[in-house]
Amino acid sequence: MTATTTAPLATTPVRTVKQPSARLRAWAARGPLLPALVFMIVVTQLPFVATLVISFFDWNSLYPKARRFTGVDNYRQVLTDADLRHSVWTTVLLTVAVVLASLVLGLALALLLDRRFRGRGVVRTLLIAPFLVVPVAAALLWKHVLYNPEYGLFNGLLHYVGGPQPDWISHTPLLAVEASLVWQWTPFMMLILLAGLQSRDQQQIEAARVDGASDWQIFRHLTLPHLRRYLELGALLGSIYIVQNFDAVFTITSGGLGTANLPYTVYQTFYQAHENGLASAAGVLVVIGSIIITTFALRVVSSLFREEASRA
């Protein structure tokens, strides 16, 4: 019996595929976002850097060759000039009044829409409509349709009941601007607070009702603490937008009668006084204030997300 020998099989070398590094994978994931990032830098950051540079110069556009570096003198003038300080105070007063009034009215409307009734969808759509109106159009609506002393709706109603015929914008200019902004921003607050109401734990509320708690006690001890984060978010986001508001002041009063806020003062300094450096310094201060408010808003939003994630 002859022994058979088997030749060893030829082994093919195993080629190892080199995996891309973690840094390369991270850049591959970020790649589609790079065009948007570049666009955002070009559109927002480069103009801000240019504004920041101009703010350190005494630069009048009527005399461009006379510009000179002045350091922080423009910022010092913004903070010490009486008119500019008054515009800062007007901005604070306008923001606080509009945000508080919008929050209170938005909370009342959110509590109404949280209940089930016939036609709730139609009512919700009508209440959201003011927020969808273009800001300039809303200001023109209030100025001509409502405030006009000759053919405005308010004086028409007063004439019908035999009341006086005041000139609303001349007698109460700041209140006239605040009312138009409250009308436009109340739906925004309502949507935020309605989302908060619909995220409540209904079992907890039912248990409180079984224990004999009244509607006021449920609102005070359960609903209001739950809405605290949403109230903070609405106040911060509203403050960001209203601090920068220009349309209502420009359209209704043209900055007169003590209603010029800081954005309108920046516009007036830049386009009418042609003081580019001073206007840039005021604009930088507005941006810094907005960034501070935005930082708090982002913290509130992140805390809301963490709370929702913990519940899930």
Side-chain angles (χ1 to χ4, degrees):
M1 185 173 181
T2 59
T4 59
T5 59
T6 58
L9 297 175
T11 59
T12 58
V14 179
R15 180 178 295 179
T16 59
V17 180
K18 187 177 181 181
Q19 298 293 332
S21 63
R23 179 176 296 180
L24 185 60
R25 290 197 300 270
W27 277 108
R30 299 188 186 109
L33 300 177
L34 287 179
L37 178 62
V38 173
F39 177 80
M40 185 188 68
I41 292 174
V42 171
V43 173
T44 62
Q45 301 308 309
L46 292 183
F48 177 72
V49 172
T51 303
L52 185 62
V53 172
I54 295 173
S55 67
F56 294 107
F57 284 82
D58 181 7
W59 189 339
N60 191 301
S61 59
L62 298 179
Y63 308 98
K65 295 183 179 181
R67 63 178 179 269
R68 58 188 178 87
F69 181 79
T70 57
V72 296
D73 287 349
N74 288 327
Y75 293 94
R76 188 180 296 111
Q77 185 174 350
V78 170
L79 297 175
T80 56
D81 184 79
D83 293 335
L84 289 172
R85 279 187 299 173
H86 183 267
S87 67
V88 172
W89 168 247
T90 303
T91 303
V92 173
L93 186 62
L94 185 68
T95 303
V96 171
V98 172
V99 168
L100 289 180
S102 300
L103 278 175
V104 172
L105 294 176
L107 178 59
L109 294 175
L111 291 172
L112 173 65
L113 293 179
D114 191 51
R115 300 175 178 271
R116 295 185 178 274
F117 58 89
R118 187 185 299 273
R120 184 175 66 167
V122 177
V123 174
R124 182 181 301 178
T125 303
L126 293 176
L127 290 176
I128 295 173
F131 185 64
L132 305 178
V133 178
V134 178
V136 173
L140 288 172
L141 172 70
W142 278 78
K143 181 178 182 179
H144 296 290
V145 179
L146 300 178
Y147 289 145
N148 191 280
E150 297 180 1
Y151 53 81
L153 179 62
F154 290 160
N155 280 4
L157 295 175
L158 289 175
H159 177 74
Y160 181 76
V161 298
Q165 300 290 293
D167 188 344
W168 299 92
I169 297 177
S170 298
H171 293 169
T172 55
L174 190 59
L175 184 61
V177 175
E178 291 171 351
S180 67
L181 290 174
V182 168
W183 176 79
Q184 193 168 19
W185 282 96
T186 295
F188 176 78
M189 304 298 184
M190 179 193 71
L191 289 176
I192 292 178
L193 297 176
L194 184 60
L197 288 174
Q198 294 179 350
S199 66
R200 291 177 300 174
D201 187 357
Q202 296 299 325
Q203 294 181 352
Q204 189 179 26
I205 295 176
E206 291 298 328
R209 293 188 187 278
V210 171
D211 291 339
S214 63
D215 290 339
W216 168 248
Q217 290 174 330
I218 292 175
F219 173 77
R220 180 181 176 183
H221 298 287
L222 294 179
T223 301
L224 204 57
H226 175 76
L227 290 178
R228 183 177 66 86
R229 292 290 185 184
Y230 296 89
L231 289 168
E232 292 176 357
L233 179 61
L236 290 170
L237 292 179
S239 299
I240 292 171
Y241 287 103
I242 296 170
V243 161
Q244 306 176 35
N245 182 268
F246 173 81
D247 309 84
V249 175
F250 177 79
T251 305
I252 296 177
T253 63
S254 297
L257 303 174
T259 60
N261 59 350
L262 196 52
Y264 184 86
T265 303
V266 172
Y267 157 80
Q268 197 173 31
T269 306
F270 188 85
Y271 286 101
Q272 297 181 5
H274 305 283
E275 290 289 348
N276 296 352
L278 193 61
S280 298
V284 169
L285 293 179
V286 174
V287 172
I288 292 174
S290 301
I291 290 175
I292 293 173
I293 300 174
T294 304
T295 302
F296 287 103
L298 291 175
R299 289 183 179 179
V300 173
V301 171
S302 62
S303 66
L304 282 175
F305 285 154
R306 285 195 297 268
E307 289 179 4
E308 294 296 331
S310 63
R311 290 174 186 172

